[in-house]
Every structure is written in C-alpha cells, then in structure tokens.
Amino acid sequence: MEVEPSVRVTIDDVARAAGVSRQTVSRAMNGKGEISAATRRRVLATIEELDYRPSVFARGMRTQRAGTLGLILSDIANPFFPAVARGVFDAAGAHGFSVVVHNTDAHAGRESTAAREILEGGAEGVIGFFEALGDEELVALHRRLPLVVADRRAPAPTVASVSSDFATGTRLAVEHLHAQGHRHLGMLDGAVGVDHVRRHAFAAAAAPGSPIVTGPPTITGGAAAAAQLLGEHPEVTALFAFNDLMAVGAIRALRERGRHVPDDCAVVGYDDLTLAADLDPPLTTVHTDKYELGRTLVEALDAIVRARRRDTGDTGDTPDPEPRLLPATLVVRRSA
C-alpha cells in the first residue's frame, strides 16, 4: 500500500495494509498478548513500511496501563458535565479503562477533530455528547470504533444510546404547571444541535401555539431568551427552560422586569443541578441522575468493546443495542 507523502498515515491505513482491525494494530503497538506473534510481526513491519508515526495524543494514550476511552463533551463549563464525567471516570476505572476528555463547544468541526484524534490514538471506544455531527457521520464513526451517544437519539439501530427520558420529564413539568393553574406557558429552548426532544415534547403537552424561543443553553442565553419571549408574549405566566442554567437566566430576566417568581411568573428547569436547591427561590426542576448517566454510558460501551473483541472482523456489526432511557422525575420547589 502506498500513501502520498503529503498525507498523514493513520492507524486505519496501517490496519488496511496489514489486513487486520485497528484494535489489532493498537494491541501490536502496545505489546498486548491478545494477538499472535506472527500477527504482531506483520503489523509492526507494516508500520515500518508506511513510516507510521502516531500523534503525541496517541503516544500519551499508549503509555496508560489500561485501554483508553474517549469522552466528548459539548461544554465542560456547564456543571451538568462534570457530574456526568464523575460517573464515567468511576465506572471506567472499575473496568480498567483510563479516560481522555475533549471539549467541543457543540461545534461540528471540533466534534469531528475529537473523534479523529480518538481514532488515531487507538482508543477502545468513545462516549460522545454530539450536538452538531449528523447521523451519517456518527454511523461511520461507529463502524470504525465502539461508540455510545449520550442524551441523543441513536443515529441508527446499530448504535448504542443512553439518555434521560426527556419526553417524560418535559411532560411532567408541563402537567405540573397546568395543575398550578397556568394556561399561558412558554419554553426557553437551548438545543444547539440536531436533537429537539424537549421542544417536541413541550409542543405536544402545552397548548397549541405556546411560544418557544431558542438561545444558548447558558445563564446569559436563558436571560436573553426569557426577555425576548416575555416581551413578545406578556401573557405568559410560566416558563419551562431547557436546562437549569437557562432557568437561572430566566429568573434574572424576570427580576429585571420587576416580576416576582413564582407569583408573577413560574419557572421550571431541567437537570436538577446542585445549585438548583440553593437559588432564591429554590428551583423546581426535572431531576436526572447525572452520575448514573455517566456510569451507564461506560457500561454500554464496555459491552460493545467486549463484543467486538470476540468479533475478529471488528466490523461494527454486533447485535443492535437497545436504547437506554434513564428515569426523569419532577422535583417541586418554590419557583413553580
């Protein structure tokens, strides 16, 4: 196999030239015992022939005692993600994996770059909060590397997914607001990617035509979205926010307009971050177990990794996994 000098040789180029899987190339470089001596010699000879030079990232990953998992987060500054990451790290350690984290800011190019670096690094698999990459790109990644997508519907039946039960959680929030006597609801939608489960669930549960304003899923984004929605729809007496950060922003916007929470306008968030109980007023929100989400993501990925180790072809054609939904429960506090 000849590779143009201007094109960087990747671990996949080596795998194709040697007639083995990319995991086998990784094991040959790491000196692991799962492959035969003849296979290791063939792989190492191919590496020498192609002048394959792993990236610094890859070399760092290979120095780990255990296999490595890639964790792709969309916004590490959001308190939601460190809580999930704790579950990922604890479960990964229990299974003998180390973890390398990438932050993408929900940018398609950064998601693609993170996935490529994880592939080239010889990781055992990847867990991703993919907000921007399309289904086709994720299916292609899955065929090259064990993949579990988080808080997003599976891009294909063959791809594993773990997420909060957003549809149920959103419905519970809307039903609670209706039970409190609110008839004019609005939503602050912070979905920055391709999945809009909460938006669709809100539209289905609320009155037809209930306003929805989209903004970044941050405190500032929530404040701006709330100000816009309330300015355009002053009749609204309750807001459902995409996440707790947007809910905090909504409370700020309401106070700036001289409106009291919940007397003038109720606010419900989503995620039940630690800060939710300490707000003034304490935030009514939908609880999702973030630690359990992280732990379950690793369990799902480990099952795929083990299945592919049994499949010497490593084609990604393992039995279709069942999507996993984690329970969502409403925590009623004083904001609604």
Side-chain angles (χ1 to χ4, degrees), residues 2-35:
E2 294 185 359
V3 179
E4 297 179 19
S6 60
V7 178
R8 178 179 176 179
V9 177
T10 69
I11 193 172
D12 291 291
D13 294 326
V14 175
R16 283 191 293 270
V20 298
S21 71
R22 63 184 309 280
Q23 283 83 2
T24 297
V25 175
S26 176
R27 289 166 190 151
M29 292 189 300
N30 293 339
K32 292 186 176 180
E34 295 98 329
I35 60 175

CSV table of all heavy atoms in Angstrom, one decimal, residues 2-35:
chain,number,residue,atom,x,y,z
A,2,GLU,N,0.6,2.2,-0.9
A,2,GLU,CA,1.4,3.4,-1.0
A,2,GLU,C,0.5,4.6,-0.5
A,2,GLU,O,-0.7,4.6,-0.8
A,2,GLU,CB,1.8,3.7,-2.4
A,2,GLU,CG,2.8,2.6,-2.9
A,2,GLU,CD,3.4,3.0,-4.3
A,2,GLU,OE1,2.9,4.0,-4.8
A,2,GLU,OE2,4.2,2.3,-4.8
A,3,VAL,N,1.1,5.4,0.3
A,3,VAL,CA,0.4,6.6,0.8
A,3,VAL,C,1.1,7.8,0.4
A,3,VAL,O,2.4,7.9,0.5
A,3,VAL,CB,0.3,6.5,2.4
A,3,VAL,CG1,-0.5,7.8,2.9
A,3,VAL,CG2,-0.5,5.3,2.8
A,4,GLU,N,0.4,8.8,-0.2
A,4,GLU,CA,1.1,10.0,-0.6
A,4,GLU,C,1.9,10.6,0.6
A,4,GLU,O,1.4,10.7,1.7
A,4,GLU,CB,0.1,11.0,-1.1
A,4,GLU,CG,-0.6,10.5,-2.4
A,4,GLU,CD,-1.7,11.5,-2.8
A,4,GLU,OE1,-1.5,12.7,-2.5
A,4,GLU,OE2,-2.6,11.1,-3.6
A,5,PRO,N,3.1,11.1,0.3
A,5,PRO,CA,3.9,11.7,1.4
A,5,PRO,C,3.2,12.9,2.1
A,5,PRO,O,3.4,13.1,3.3
A,5,PRO,CB,5.2,12.2,0.7
A,5,PRO,CG,5.3,11.3,-0.5
A,5,PRO,CD,3.8,11.1,-1.0
A,6,SER,N,2.4,13.6,1.4
A,6,SER,CA,1.7,14.8,2.0
A,6,SER,C,0.6,14.4,2.9
A,6,SER,O,0.0,15.3,3.5
A,6,SER,CB,1.2,15.7,0.9
A,6,SER,OG,0.3,15.0,0.0
A,7,VAL,N,0.2,13.1,2.8
A,7,VAL,CA,-1.0,12.7,3.6
A,7,VAL,C,-0.5,11.9,4.8
A,7,VAL,O,0.3,11.0,4.7
A,7,VAL,CB,-1.9,11.8,2.8
A,7,VAL,CG1,-3.1,11.3,3.6
A,7,VAL,CG2,-2.4,12.5,1.6
A,8,ARG,N,-0.9,12.3,6.0
A,8,ARG,CA,-0.5,11.7,7.2
A,8,ARG,C,-1.1,10.3,7.3
A,8,ARG,O,-2.3,10.1,7.2
A,8,ARG,CB,-1.0,12.5,8.4
A,8,ARG,CG,-0.6,11.9,9.8
A,8,ARG,CD,-1.1,12.8,10.9
A,8,ARG,NE,-0.9,12.2,12.2
A,8,ARG,CZ,-1.2,12.7,13.3
A,8,ARG,NH1,-1.7,13.9,13.3
A,8,ARG,NH2,-0.9,12.1,14.5
A,9,VAL,N,-0.2,9.3,7.5
A,9,VAL,CA,-0.6,7.9,7.7
A,9,VAL,C,-1.3,7.8,9.0
A,9,VAL,O,-0.8,8.2,10.1
A,9,VAL,CB,0.6,7.0,7.6
A,9,VAL,CG1,0.2,5.5,7.8
A,9,VAL,CG2,1.3,7.1,6.3
A,10,THR,N,-2.4,7.1,9.0
A,10,THR,CA,-3.2,6.9,10.2
A,10,THR,C,-3.2,5.4,10.6
A,10,THR,O,-2.8,4.5,9.8
A,10,THR,CB,-4.7,7.3,10.0
A,10,THR,OG1,-5.3,6.4,9.1
A,10,THR,CG2,-4.8,8.7,9.4
A,11,ILE,N,-3.7,5.2,11.8
A,11,ILE,CA,-3.8,3.8,12.3
A,11,ILE,C,-4.7,2.9,11.4
A,11,ILE,O,-4.5,1.7,11.2
A,11,ILE,CB,-4.3,3.8,13.7
A,11,ILE,CG1,-4.1,2.4,14.3
A,11,ILE,CG2,-5.7,4.2,13.8
A,11,ILE,CD1,-4.3,2.3,15.8
A,12,ASP,N,-5.7,3.6,10.7
A,12,ASP,CA,-6.6,2.8,9.8
A,12,ASP,C,-5.8,2.4,8.5
A,12,ASP,O,-6.1,1.4,7.9
A,12,ASP,CB,-7.8,3.7,9.5
A,12,ASP,CG,-8.7,3.8,10.7
A,12,ASP,OD1,-9.3,2.8,11.1
A,12,ASP,OD2,-8.8,4.9,11.2
A,13,ASP,N,-4.9,3.3,8.1
A,13,ASP,CA,-4.1,2.9,6.9
A,13,ASP,C,-3.3,1.7,7.2
A,13,ASP,O,-3.2,0.8,6.4
A,13,ASP,CB,-3.2,4.1,6.5
A,13,ASP,CG,-3.9,5.3,6.0
A,13,ASP,OD1,-5.0,5.2,5.4
A,13,ASP,OD2,-3.5,6.4,6.3
A,14,VAL,N,-2.7,1.7,8.4
A,14,VAL,CA,-1.9,0.5,8.8
A,14,VAL,C,-2.8,-0.7,8.9
A,14,VAL,O,-2.4,-1.8,8.4
A,14,VAL,CB,-1.2,0.8,10.2
A,14,VAL,CG1,-0.5,-0.5,10.6
A,14,VAL,CG2,-0.3,1.9,10.1
A,15,ALA,N,-4.0,-0.6,9.5
A,15,ALA,CA,-4.9,-1.8,9.6
A,15,ALA,C,-5.2,-2.3,8.2
A,15,ALA,O,-5.2,-3.6,8.0
A,15,ALA,CB,-6.1,-1.3,10.4
A,16,ARG,N,-5.6,-1.4,7.3
A,16,ARG,CA,-5.9,-1.9,5.9
A,16,ARG,C,-4.8,-2.6,5.2
A,16,ARG,O,-4.9,-3.6,4.6
A,16,ARG,CB,-6.4,-0.7,5.1
A,16,ARG,CG,-7.8,-0.3,5.4
A,16,ARG,CD,-8.4,0.7,4.4
A,16,ARG,NE,-7.6,1.9,4.4
A,16,ARG,CZ,-8.0,3.0,5.1
A,16,ARG,NH1,-9.1,2.9,5.9
A,16,ARG,NH2,-7.3,4.1,5.1
A,17,ALA,N,-3.6,-2.0,5.4
A,17,ALA,CA,-2.4,-2.6,4.7
A,17,ALA,C,-2.0,-3.9,5.3
A,17,ALA,O,-1.6,-4.8,4.6
A,17,ALA,CB,-1.2,-1.6,4.8
A,18,ALA,N,-2.2,-4.1,6.6
A,18,ALA,CA,-1.8,-5.3,7.3
A,18,ALA,C,-2.9,-6.4,7.2
A,18,ALA,O,-2.7,-7.5,7.6
A,18,ALA,CB,-1.4,-5.1,8.7
A,19,GLY,N,-4.1,-5.9,6.8
A,19,GLY,CA,-5.3,-6.9,6.8
A,19,GLY,C,-5.8,-7.3,8.1
A,19,GLY,O,-6.3,-8.4,8.3
A,20,VAL,N,-5.7,-6.3,9.1
A,20,VAL,CA,-6.2,-6.6,10.4
A,20,VAL,C,-7.1,-5.4,10.9
A,20,VAL,O,-7.3,-4.4,10.1
A,20,VAL,CB,-5.1,-6.7,11.4
A,20,VAL,CG1,-4.2,-7.9,11.1
A,20,VAL,CG2,-4.3,-5.4,11.5
A,21,SER,N,-7.7,-5.5,12.0
A,21,SER,CA,-8.5,-4.4,12.6
A,21,SER,C,-7.6,-3.4,13.2
A,21,SER,O,-6.5,-3.6,13.5
A,21,SER,CB,-9.5,-5.0,13.6
A,21,SER,OG,-8.8,-5.3,14.8
A,22,ARG,N,-8.2,-2.2,13.4
A,22,ARG,CA,-7.4,-1.1,14.0
A,22,ARG,C,-7.1,-1.4,15.5
A,22,ARG,O,-6.1,-1.1,16.0
A,22,ARG,CB,-8.2,0.2,13.9
A,22,ARG,CG,-9.5,0.3,14.6
A,22,ARG,CD,-10.2,1.6,14.4
A,22,ARG,NE,-9.4,2.7,14.7
A,22,ARG,CZ,-9.1,3.1,15.9
A,22,ARG,NH1,-9.6,2.5,17.0
A,22,ARG,NH2,-8.3,4.2,16.1
A,23,GLN,N,-8.0,-2.2,16.1
A,23,GLN,CA,-7.7,-2.6,17.5
A,23,GLN,C,-6.5,-3.5,17.6
A,23,GLN,O,-5.7,-3.5,18.5
A,23,GLN,CB,-9.0,-3.3,18.1
A,23,GLN,CG,-10.1,-2.3,18.5
A,23,GLN,CD,-11.0,-1.9,17.4
A,23,GLN,OE1,-10.8,-2.4,16.3
A,23,GLN,NE2,-11.9,-1.1,17.7
A,24,THR,N,-6.4,-4.4,16.5
A,24,THR,CA,-5.2,-5.3,16.5
A,24,THR,C,-3.9,-4.5,16.3
A,24,THR,O,-2.9,-4.8,16.9
A,24,THR,CB,-5.4,-6.3,15.3
A,24,THR,OG1,-6.5,-7.1,15.6
A,24,THR,CG2,-4.2,-7.2,15.2
A,25,VAL,N,-4.0,-3.4,15.5
A,25,VAL,CA,-2.8,-2.6,15.3
A,25,VAL,C,-2.4,-2.0,16.7
A,25,VAL,O,-1.3,-1.9,17.1
A,25,VAL,CB,-3.1,-1.4,14.3
A,25,VAL,CG1,-1.9,-0.5,14.3
A,25,VAL,CG2,-3.3,-2.0,12.9
A,26,SER,N,-3.4,-1.5,17.4
A,26,SER,CA,-3.2,-0.9,18.7
A,26,SER,C,-2.6,-1.9,19.7
A,26,SER,O,-1.6,-1.6,20.4
A,26,SER,CB,-4.5,-0.3,19.3
A,26,SER,OG,-4.3,0.2,20.6
A,27,ARG,N,-3.1,-3.1,19.7
A,27,ARG,CA,-2.6,-4.1,20.6
A,27,ARG,C,-1.1,-4.5,20.2
A,27,ARG,O,-0.3,-4.8,21.1
A,27,ARG,CB,-3.5,-5.4,20.5
A,27,ARG,CG,-4.8,-5.1,21.2
A,27,ARG,CD,-5.8,-6.2,20.9
A,27,ARG,NE,-7.1,-5.7,21.4
A,27,ARG,CZ,-8.3,-6.1,20.9
A,27,ARG,NH1,-8.3,-6.9,19.8
A,27,ARG,NH2,-9.4,-5.7,21.4
A,28,ALA,N,-0.8,-4.5,18.9
A,28,ALA,CA,0.5,-4.8,18.5
A,28,ALA,C,1.5,-3.8,19.0
A,28,ALA,O,2.6,-4.1,19.4
A,28,ALA,CB,0.6,-4.9,16.9
A,29,MET,N,1.1,-2.5,18.9
A,29,MET,CA,2.0,-1.4,19.3
A,29,MET,C,2.1,-1.4,20.8
A,29,MET,O,3.2,-1.0,21.4
A,29,MET,CB,1.4,0.0,18.9
A,29,MET,CG,1.4,0.2,17.4
A,29,MET,SD,1.0,1.9,16.9
A,29,MET,CE,-0.7,2.0,17.5
A,30,ASN,N,1.1,-1.8,21.5
A,30,ASN,CA,1.1,-1.8,23.0
A,30,ASN,C,1.7,-3.0,23.6
A,30,ASN,O,1.9,-3.1,24.8
A,30,ASN,CB,-0.4,-1.7,23.5
A,30,ASN,CG,-1.0,-0.3,23.2
A,30,ASN,OD1,-0.3,0.6,22.9
A,30,ASN,ND2,-2.3,-0.3,23.2
A,31,GLY,N,2.0,-4.0,22.7
A,31,GLY,CA,2.6,-5.2,23.2
A,31,GLY,C,1.7,-6.1,24.0
A,31,GLY,O,2.1,-6.9,24.9
A,32,LYS,N,0.4,-6.0,23.8
A,32,LYS,CA,-0.6,-6.8,24.5
A,32,LYS,C,-0.6,-8.2,23.9
A,32,LYS,O,-0.3,-8.5,22.8
A,32,LYS,CB,-2.0,-6.2,24.4
A,32,LYS,CG,-2.1,-4.8,25.1
A,32,LYS,CD,-3.6,-4.3,25.1
A,32,LYS,CE,-3.7,-3.1,25.9
A,32,LYS,NZ,-5.1,-2.5,25.9
A,33,GLY,N,-1.1,-9.2,24.8
A,33,GLY,CA,-1.0,-10.6,24.4
A,33,GLY,C,-2.1,-11.2,23.7
A,33,GLY,O,-2.2,-12.4,23.5
A,34,GLU,N,-3.1,-10.4,23.3
A,34,GLU,CA,-4.3,-10.9,22.7
A,34,GLU,C,-4.1,-11.4,21.3
A,34,GLU,O,-5.0,-11.9,20.7
A,34,GLU,CB,-5.5,-9.9,22.8
A,34,GLU,CG,-6.0,-9.6,24.2
A,34,GLU,CD,-5.4,-8.3,24.7
A,34,GLU,OE1,-4.2,-8.0,24.3
A,34,GLU,OE2,-6.0,-7.6,25.5
A,35,ILE,N,-3.0,-11.1,20.7
A,35,ILE,CA,-2.8,-11.4,19.3
A,35,ILE,C,-1.6,-12.3,19.1
A,35,ILE,O,-0.7,-12.4,20.0
A,35,ILE,CB,-2.6,-10.2,18.4
A,35,ILE,CG1,-1.4,-9.3,18.9
A,35,ILE,CG2,-3.8,-9.3,18.4
A,35,ILE,CD1,-1.0,-8.2,18.0
